[in-house]
Every structure is written in structure tokens, then in C-alpha cells.
Amino acid sequence: MTRFKYLIVAVSFCLGIILFGTALCMLPEIPAYATAADTNDNEQETNTDEEEDNEETTERSSEYGPTENAPNASDEKTAPSTGNDGFVISFDGEEGNLSSTVRILLVLTVLALAPSILVLLTSFTRIIIVLHFVRIAVGTQTAPPNQVLIGLALFLTMFIMWPTFSQINENAIAPLDANEITQEEAIEEIEIPIRNFMYGQTQEKDLDLFCDIAEITYNDYDDVPFRVLVPAFVLSELRTAFIIGFLIYIPFIVIDMVVSSVLMAMGMMMLPPTTISLPFKILLFVMADGWDLIIGSLVKTFY
């Protein structure tokens, strides 16, 4: 075995020497270094070529250069001097409107904050919480799934908020695109319909709570700052959604209690009551047309 290893090492060494020699034979010949005389000749040729190029450029400039009557033919600056030759930004808008680049930046910012705006300033909060309570009360853990509940809540939010969105489009977005109003006026027009919607859903005690915290007194709803109105609106939506969820829970709790009492009377204490009560709760929900009642009653709470 040892001899076999030595043989393999010797063969590998021989192959390495052969490959190294082959590589040396395949290398191209290295050109000789240029002499000093050749270098001087090359420098003289380069200088001659540069002189010829300069003469051609001068001739072209004299033939095709700017005339005396041509605009901007002199070396004087056409822009007003500001005392330094640094980077200067000019603003040509007379109406105070923002440039298209700034508008795109604002639009991207609004799109980034769109989920928060959708959750806090619309009816989405109340709807999604009520639908979540319905699923828990019936006892189905993942039916309907979260994607279905969120999609249903989104379309119901669009249905409820459509008059508000229409007012925003007519009074703010369309005039802004037509350059009839400025950005400040558009923001004010957008705020009016949203405030009117939130005023109708905000309870007075929630509004007074945040006004007391912020040490603000108001005689009219229009005097309440937007930063105070938004948390008061969200708190009212949470309270209303939990009240509706409690009312939805009551009939299903009754079914659970009845099924538990029957199972205990029959001595089936090891059998989970939810296993038996789930079909009865689904049957009750379907026979009472629960989705129609819940969605209809939920939407009517905003009118």
C-alpha cells in the first residue's frame, strides 16, 4: 500500500512538470523595450499632431463661431448675480403651488400612511371588530378567514364612506388638478367632509375627555382641533363596536349554557360542550339569516 502511494506521488509530480513546461512554451514573446531615440521620435510626432488639431479647431471656430448679433455670444452672465456663484434654485410659480416633484413626494407619503388613515379616520375600525366578534361568538376559529373579513370590511367601508369621498373629489381633488385652488385650500376642503363624518360618530363625553386632557375649551365642534377629534373618534368607535359585539354574543352563550347543562345531566362530563354546541350555533345563525341582520344593522349605525 505504501509503494502504491509513492507511485501516485511520483506520477503526479511528473505530470506537473510536463504541464508547467507546456505553459512556458505557449507564452508569447515579450517585446523589447523601446530605446531613448524611439521615445524622442514619438514625442515629436505627438506634438506635431496636437499642433495640427489646434489649427483645425481655430479654423472651424472662425468659420462657424457665433456672430456679433447672436444671442449669448458675449462672455457676460445672463442670470442675476446673488453675490456668489453657488447653486441657485429659482421658483417661477406666481400662485405659490408646489412643483410636480414635491407633489409626487406628498402622494407617496399619503400612500405610505394610507393604512393608518383607513383604519383611524373611517368606519373600518367598527366593522372589522364586529366581524371578529361574530366569528368568535359562532365558534368557528378560522371561518371565515381573515382575508375574507378584511375584504368585506374594506368594501363596506367604501360603501359607507362613498358620500364623503365624493365630496372630497368634487371640492378638493378635481379643483386642485385644474389649478383652481392651492394645496392649502385643498387640504382645508379635504378636512371638512372627514370632520363632518367623525362628528356624527363621536360621543360627546369622549370629545370632552380629550379636550380636558389637552386643556382646550370649545363652543362649537369646528373649534376642536383635528388632533383632538381623531383620538376621540377612535375611542367612540371602539366603544360602539364592543357594545355590538356583546349583543351578538348573548344568543350564542345561551346555546352553550343549554348544551353544557344537558351534557352534565346525561353524565357526559368528559365531552367538550363546544363540540356539540357548534352545529346548533351554526344552524341558528343560518336560520336567522345572521349575515344579513348583522351587516344591515352594522351599516345602519352610521346613518
Side-chain angles (χ1 to χ4, degrees):
M1 189 66 181
T2 305
R3 293 179 180 178
F4 182 71
K5 290 182 181 179
Y6 290 152
L7 180 62
I8 293 176
V9 172
V11 172
S12 301
F13 181 73
C14 294
L15 289 176
I17 293 175
I18 294 172
L19 292 175
F20 182 72
T22 305
L24 291 177
C25 294
M26 294 177 65
L27 289 175
E29 295 182 356
I30 300 175
Y33 291 101
T35 61
D38 296 335
T39 304
N40 294 329
D41 294 338
N42 293 332
E43 290 179 354
Q44 292 178 359
E45 292 178 358
T46 303
N47 295 331
T48 305
D49 294 337
E50 291 180 354
E51 292 176 357
E52 293 177 357
D53 293 339
N54 293 331
E55 292 177 358
E56 292 179 359
T57 304
T58 305
E59 293 177 357
R60 291 179 182 176
S61 300
S62 61
E63 294 177 0
Y64 302 102
T67 60
E68 295 180 356
N69 298 326
N72 296 332
S74 63
D75 296 333
E76 297 180 357
K77 295 182 180 180
T78 57
S81 178
T82 57
N84 52 7
D85 294 331
F87 182 71
V88 179
I89 299 176
S90 60
F91 184 75
D92 297 332
E94 297 179 356
E95 299 179 356
N97 293 329
L98 297 177
S99 61
S100 59
T101 305
V102 179
R103 288 186 180 182
I104 294 174
L105 180 61
L106 292 177
V107 170
L108 293 177
T109 304
V110 172
L111 291 177
L113 299 175
S116 300
I117 296 173
L118 177 66
V119 170
L120 297 179
L121 304 183
T122 62
S123 58
F124 182 84
T125 302
R126 185 189 304 183
I127 295 172
I128 193 64
I129 291 176
V130 170
L131 294 178
H132 181 70
F133 273 119
V134 171
R135 185 173 66 180
I136 295 177
V138 175
T140 55
Q141 301 297 326
T142 59
N146 293 329
Q147 292 83 354
V148 175
L149 294 182
I150 294 174
L152 180 59
L154 286 174
F155 279 99
L156 290 177
T157 301
M158 292 177 60
F159 176 79
I160 295 169
M161 300 295 297
W162 190 257
T164 303
F165 294 155
S166 299
Q167 293 180 10
I168 292 174
N169 183 39
E170 294 175 359
N171 300 331
I173 298 178
L176 181 63
D177 290 338
N179 293 326
E180 297 177 357
I181 59 176
T182 61
Q183 281 79 14
E184 291 78 7
E185 295 175 350
I187 293 174
E188 293 177 358
E189 293 295 334
I190 290 173
E191 185 178 347
I192 292 173
I194 296 177
R195 289 176 70 98
N196 292 333
F197 171 77
M198 291 193 293
Y199 284 147
Q201 308 301 326
T202 304
Q203 299 183 13
E204 188 174 355
K205 60 180 179 180
D206 296 330
L207 193 61
D208 293 338
L209 172 63
F210 285 97
C211 286
D212 293 338
I213 296 174
E215 297 180 355
I216 296 174
T217 58
Y218 66 94
N219 297 324
D220 192 5
Y221 285 142
D222 294 335
D223 299 334
V224 179
F226 199 72
R227 61 183 177 85
V228 176
L229 179 60
V230 172
F233 169 75
V234 174
L235 185 60
S236 299
E237 288 293 288
L238 292 175
R239 179 184 290 106
T240 305
F242 273 74
I243 292 173
I244 297 174
F246 171 75
L247 296 177
I248 293 173
Y249 248 104
I250 293 177
F252 299 105
I253 289 178
V254 172
I255 295 177
D256 288 333
M257 293 176 64
V258 171
V259 171
S260 299
S261 301
V262 172
L263 291 177
M264 290 184 66
M266 297 176 63
M268 298 180 180
M269 292 179 292
M270 300 300 295
L271 183 63
T274 55
T275 305
I276 306 299
S277 62
L278 180 60
F280 291 100
K281 289 191 288 186
I282 295 175
L283 179 63
L284 174 64
F285 191 76
V286 172
M287 292 182 62
D289 199 3
W291 287 115
D292 186 75
L293 291 175
I294 292 174
I295 298 301
S297 301
L298 182 61
V299 172
K300 290 179 181 178
T301 58
F302 292 97
Y303 295 97

